Amino acid sequence: MSNTLQRKDRLFTEHRLPGDFVFDEKVANVFEDMLNRSIPGYSTIIAMIGVLAERYYQENTVVYDLGCSLGGASFSVLQHLKGKPCTIVAIDNSAAMMERLELKKQQFGDAGEQILCQCESIQESVIRDASVVILNFTLQFLAIEEREALIDKIYEGMAPGGVLIVSEKIIFADEHLNELLIDSYHQFKENMGYSKLEISQKRTALENVLIPETLEDHKKRILGANFGSFEVWFQCFNFASMIAFK
Ligand code: GEK
């Protein structure tokens, strides 16, 4: 969806001092452009989350979008579930993101009221009566030792038959493959108009903030929480989206 407040991502064009990436005002202003040019398949993943939510949403349950940013996944779900008695709880701990999400909601009129925004850390959130839970490129920002507790909590808060969708940047145990897929990803970013300087500075800024794991790590954690039928339903280079059922 177009948003007049959004600008082109030029955050890493100039040489800058080292510093960790933060989800502040500057990032929120260019975020849609950043995601579309930085995550191969982002728009496909967002569109398919809506399709999956429509299929697995159960009446009188809640959809959770954890680490919702500007609500890309929430709005996709809303488009598929409009008119149904559903609540979409959209959670993010970046106040800059949540302010913009509140503005975007207004463009949807009454339907937008189905999205409830909560500005908080997802480690603190209560998950209850969920039939669809979305972690679209969010788990990767939690410390590795905090991830299991979150996945366990989600499982506990889900209705039987509910679906969990987890999208992540990933790494590969095979060094050669890992290098190939990361290089291919950087080529994708160049093709999307980012310079080599922007790519390397963003990579450095994310180094301590975004900690990717292997698909095997994710599978082990998700199945360990008792989810069944784990599968990768989308992958492009080192980006993947996984699905699991309670
Ligand atoms: C999308 N899902 O467009 N608690 C709450 N929010 C958090 C936390 C936390 N502990 N850690 C990070 N975030 C979105 C894209 S972006 C992905 C998600 C990316 C939030 C953070 O503030 C940011 O908005 C989001 O997770 C990650 O489908 O930037 O690569």
Side-chain angles (χ1 to χ4, degrees):
M1 197 191 70
S2 72
N3 183 333
T4 48
L5 296 170
Q6 285 289 297
R7 302 196 192 101
K8 191 171 168 72
D9 170 22
R10 307 184 56 78
L11 297 183
F12 291 88
T13 45
E14 306 292 330
H15 275 284
R16 42 187 276 162
L17 295 169
D20 285 344
F21 187 85
V22 279
F23 291 98
D24 59 10
E25 195 90 4
K26 277 194 213 145
V27 168
N29 281 335
V30 299
F31 201 62
E32 283 178 0
D33 181 58
M34 180 186 281
L35 287 181
N36 279 306
R37 293 199 292 138
S38 305
I39 300 183
Y42 175 75
S43 60
T44 303
I45 293 171
I46 287 292
M48 293 310 133
I49 284 175
V51 171
L52 290 166
E54 183 171 350
R55 182 175 178 124
Y56 291 104
Y57 167 73
Q58 301 170 30
E59 288 237 332
N60 301 316
T61 62
V62 180
V63 175
Y64 285 89
D65 182 6
L66 305 178
C68 57
S69 303
L70 301 180
S74 293
F75 289 113
S76 175
V77 172
L78 183 64
Q79 269 161 356
H80 284 264
L81 294 180
K82 236 188 294 186
K84 301 218 168 112
C86 96
T87 301
I88 301 164
V89 177
I91 303 175
D92 203 292
N93 62 1
S94 159
M97 293 289 182
M98 294 312 267
E99 274 166 30
R100 282 158 187 76
L101 175 52
E102 286 287 0
L103 287 176
K104 276 182 80 178
K105 263 175 60 173
Q106 291 169 13
Q107 298 173 14
F108 281 78
D110 286 347
E113 294 310 312
Q114 285 179 248
I115 299 179
L116 295 185
C117 298
Q118 289 177 200
C119 190
E120 64 192 26
S121 290
I122 53 178
Q123 295 95 316
E124 313 301 325
S125 301
V126 173
I127 312 280
R128 198 182 286 144
D129 300 328
S131 56
V132 180
V133 179
I134 302 155
L135 274 167
N136 203 36
F137 301 106
T138 304
L139 191 63
Q140 59 196 16
F141 292 106
L142 263 60
I144 292 203
E145 60 275 14
E146 294 184 357
R147 297 179 187 182
E148 185 179 325
L150 178 70
I151 298 294
D152 288 348
K153 176 171 76 176
I154 292 171
Y155 182 85
E156 291 308 321
M158 275 175 75
V163 66
L164 169 66
I165 300 161
V166 183
S167 310
E168 290 274 295
K169 190 174 193 176
I170 50 171
I171 47 170
F172 301 85
D174 181 311
E175 249 175 63
H176 175 72
L177 258 179
N178 197 42
E179 198 181 313
L180 167 71
L181 294 169
I182 291 173
D183 285 352
S184 304
Y185 169 54
H186 290 156
Q187 189 57 54
F188 161 86
K189 283 192 82 170
E190 275 194 59
N191 295 346
M192 295 305 268
Y194 285 115
S195 68
K196 285 194 182 357
L197 178 68
E198 285 176 290
I199 294 169
S200 88
Q201 295 200 126
K202 174 88 178 279
R203 191 180 187 183
T204 306
L206 281 173
E207 221 145 59
N208 303 317
V209 180
L210 189 168
I211 316 289
E213 295 177 283
T214 63
L215 285 173
E216 204 42 48
D217 291 331
H218 287 291
K219 182 175 183 177
K220 214 169 137 195
R221 182 182 299 116
I222 289 171
L223 293 180
N226 267 339
F227 282 96
S229 314
F230 173 96
E231 193 50 271
V232 175
W233 67 271
F234 179 92
Q235 188 179 336
C236 182
F237 302 138
N238 51 338
F239 288 80
S241 191
M242 302 155 259
I243 191 166
F245 297 92
K246 176 158 178 177

